[in-house]
Amino acid sequence: MSKSLKSLHGSLPLNKTKALANLSKNINENTICYVLITCEKPQKDGSMHVDLVFEGDKHLAQHLLQTAQTAFKP
């Protein structure tokens, strides 16, 4: 896993304006649950600080995470 994290070192910077606009567009009065995962740049040793925040029912948040995993499978 360290190799793949180190390969992210040269990745494009996050467009914070676009990210905040996406959050604003997707979280509205109809939203009952959300999960937000963020990470910082990898350290020299390959470690990375990751935060996960969710609001709503924890079982629904877990379902969202499990369903989202399928979007990244080849």
Side-chain angles (χ1 to χ4, degrees), residues 1-3 7-8 12-13 20-21 23 26 32 36 38-39 45-47 51 53 56-57 59 64 66 68 70 72 74:
M1 188 167 192
S2 287
K3 285 186 179 179
S7 70
L8 294 174
L12 297 173
L20 291 172
L23 285 171
N26 288 296
I32 61 170
L36 176 64
T38 58
C39 60
D45 67 358
S47 65
D51 280 322
V53 176
D57 180 77
H59 294 93
L64 290 173
Q66 289 172 342
T70 63
F72 298 101

Side-chain angles (χ1 to χ4, degrees), residues 12-33:
L12 297 173
L14 178 68
N15 182 331
K16 292 178 185 170
T17 302
K18 185 177 177 182
L20 291 172
N22 280 332
L23 285 171
S24 179
K25 181 179 90 174
N26 288 296
I27 297 177
N28 58 45
E29 65 276 351
N30 293 321
T31 303
I32 61 170
C33 184

Side-chain angles (χ1 to χ4, degrees), residues 38-63:
T38 58
C39 60
E40 294 179 357
K41 292 180 182 179
Q43 302 296 313
K44 289 181 181 179
D45 67 358
S47 65
M48 179 182 280
H49 179 80
V50 177
D51 280 322
L52 181 145
V53 176
F54 74 93
E55 195 165 326
D57 180 77
K58 70 178 181 179
H59 294 93
L60 181 53
Q62 182 180 25
H63 175 72

